[in-house]
Amino acid sequence: MIRSRILGVGRYLPEKRVTNFDLAKMFDTSDEWIRQRTGIVERRFADAGVYCSDLALEASNEALKNAGMKAEELDFIIYATLSPDHHFPGNGCYLQTKLGLANIGAMDIRNQCSGFIYSLATADAFVRIGMYKRILVVGAEVHSSGLSFTDEGRDVSVIFGDGAGAVIIGPSEDPSRGILTNHLHADGAFANILHLEMFDISQKPCLTHEMLDRGSLWPRMKGKEVFRVAVTRIPEVIEEALKAANLKVEDVDLFIPHQANLRINQFAAAKLGVAEEKFYSNIQRYGNTTAASLPIALSEALEEGLIKGGSVVVFVAFGAGFTWACSVMRW
Ligand code: UT7
């Protein structure tokens, strides 16, 4: 049986740090409120003029370097984002040309916080059927251009940050190592709990001044509802995935959860009876970087020596859609 594994990992965070105190100068919030509710201390914002695909390029180049590969050796690109450079074409195409490539396939995955795991699962399937051997999977976001830094938008704007992470997926020589199982879920009945209207394709034209005036450019979230469902779905999908991989919670060396809210992850760890230290966390420094949060966290966890050959690593995510997903791998 062919398995796929991660051959290289990279990340890129813009240099500009924005602390909770900086946000408190822009609208009515406080460091205390943000820290207590989310764990976030600061986040990074890209400068004006920087595209999502620019962040992705930096992370991809680092992943290629870590895999000991040149961009020319890639045979496919999967790009997860909810903040693409433009409405179309997909960001995979922009990234492809920035990497100096042409002709290889490139696609976008629009699954928000679960986008990286959906992309990983897609790449895993392509590798296992023998269709591709070197797939670049990127998660990247520039949220800072699409947030309302006002009292009205404060519940959403304090959470998000910019960043990118990338991995290279290819066949594993050792069939006992690599991606063991992927579990992808969605429930569109919750679509309006966390969404960005931006345009409405049923209207002609699909974007009007009136829509902009009523704030359709800004994401809307019923935070408590997201929190409530997240703390149920996250442990549930982890248990489902571990069962499929014939593993127990105790067999897991590191959980890498999506970094949406430190408290969500603490709840999930407690529900599973797992020590909090086993749930990786860097939300304090970056906020919620949506599709980028898992590969950024993976990249840092590797550098910190938390993952070694043979380690069992569990990725889990929950977000808009709602979508939620889990991947289990033996490193
Ligand atoms: O990856 C995307 C998925 N998203 C999530 O996972 C988000 C999940 N939800 C959450 O993380 C939390 O719901 C939040 C952190 C967003 C909000 O925490 P909460 O405890 O649910 O607060 P709340 O929305 O119920 O608001 C409580 C109070 C309200 O004031 P009143 O009505 O009690 O006077 C809000 O107006 O806090 C106020 N508030 C704020 N105050 C200071 C809302 N946002 C802010 C803010 N600063 N940024």
Side-chain angles (χ1 to χ4, degrees):
M1 175 180 181
I2 299 179
R3 281 197 198 287
S4 77
R5 72 178 183 94
I6 293 178
L7 306 170
V9 185
R11 69 176 186 276
Y12 180 75
L13 282 310
E15 274 177 25
K16 189 169 154 194
R17 290 183 149 84
V18 178
T19 65
N20 296 341
F21 294 102
D22 294 327
L23 295 182
K25 287 179 201 146
M26 298 159 78
F27 51 88
D28 184 16
T29 191
S30 67
D31 176 60
E32 193 194 2
W33 191 97
I34 302 170
R35 268 187 211 231
Q36 267 182 11
R37 296 272 205 308
T38 69
I40 300 165
V41 177
E42 61 177 31
R43 70 288 290 142
R44 304 293 181 92
F45 283 178
D47 289 330
V50 174
Y51 284 106
C52 182
S53 57
D54 294 326
L55 306 189
L57 177 66
E58 301 286 343
S60 302
N61 280 332
E62 189 179 287
L64 286 164
K65 197 169 143 215
N66 287 344
M69 278 173 59
K70 290 194 167 52
E72 294 68 36
E73 293 170 71
L74 290 172
D75 45 23
F76 200 73
I77 297 171
I78 304 180
Y79 196 128
T81 188
L82 65 66
S83 50
D85 295 4
H86 299 288
H87 184 53
F88 73 82
N91 260 34
C93 297
Y94 289 116
L95 177 62
Q96 185 204 51
T97 191
K98 284 181 181 175
L99 283 164
L101 303 177
N103 298 328
I104 64 166
M107 72 188 227
D108 282 26
I109 295 222
R110 299 276 308 270
N111 281 63
Q112 304 73 241
C113 302
S114 310
F116 182 75
I117 299 182
Y118 270 74
S119 302
L120 203 64
T122 307
D124 177 44
F126 279 146
V127 169
R128 280 193 287 109
I129 62 170
M131 192 160 161
Y132 298 120
K133 285 204 160 62
R134 293 288 181 269
I135 303 180
L136 171 63
V137 175
V138 190
E141 306 287 358
V142 174
H143 284 304
S144 54
S145 321
L147 297 172
S148 171
F149 297 106
T150 61
D151 290 357
E152 209 204 355
R154 64 183 180 172
D155 57 327
V156 178
S157 56
V158 297
I159 297 176
F160 293 100
D162 303 341
V167 299
I168 314 288
I169 306 288
S172 169
E173 310 76 46
D174 176 349
S176 69
R177 287 166 68 175
I179 297 176
L180 305 178
T181 188
N182 299 302
H183 299 261
L184 312 179
H185 294 282
D187 188 347
F190 291 92
N192 289 337
I193 301 290
L194 174 50
H195 81 132
L196 171 61
E197 183 190 11
M198 180 76 93
F199 65 82
D200 179 341
I201 210 72
S202 74
Q203 302 303 305
K204 299 177 192 316
C206 61
L207 186 61
T208 61
H209 289 288
E210 186 274 324
M211 286 164 76
L212 289 175
D213 289 344
R214 73 175 140 85
S216 71
L217 183 62
W218 314 122
R220 306 270 174 202
M221 176 174 75
K222 291 186 181 138
K224 280 210 187 315
E225 185 75 352
V226 181
F227 198 107
R228 187 183 63 77
V229 184
V231 295
T232 308
R233 293 303 194 188
I234 291 171
E236 185 184 281
V237 73
I238 289 174
E239 277 171 352
E240 174 190 323
L242 287 176
K243 192 172 171 208
N246 210 12
L247 291 167
K248 295 198 171 62
V249 166
E250 308 81 77
D251 299 324
V252 179
D253 295 288
L254 189 66
F255 292 88
I256 303 188
H258 169 52
Q259 307 288 306
N261 181 323
L262 186 62
R263 287 176 54 222
I264 291 181
N265 293 339
Q266 287 168 336
F267 261 83
K271 233 175 185 173
L272 290 164
V274 171
E276 216 179 296
E277 310 82 74
K278 275 208 172 180
F279 263 61
Y280 190 81
S281 166
N282 62 6
I283 191 171
Q284 296 85 346
R285 286 175 283 128
Y286 305 134
N288 180 349
T289 57
T290 308
S293 93
L294 291 178
I296 292 172
L298 172 65
S299 160
E300 294 199 331
L302 282 163
E303 267 178 26
E304 290 165 29
L306 298 175
I307 302 171
K308 303 189 169 56
S311 294
V312 174
V313 181
V314 171
F315 288 101
V316 67
F318 178 91
F322 289 150
T323 59
W324 61 104
C326 184
S327 281
V328 181
M329 64 186 67
R330 193 182 299 281
W331 198 258

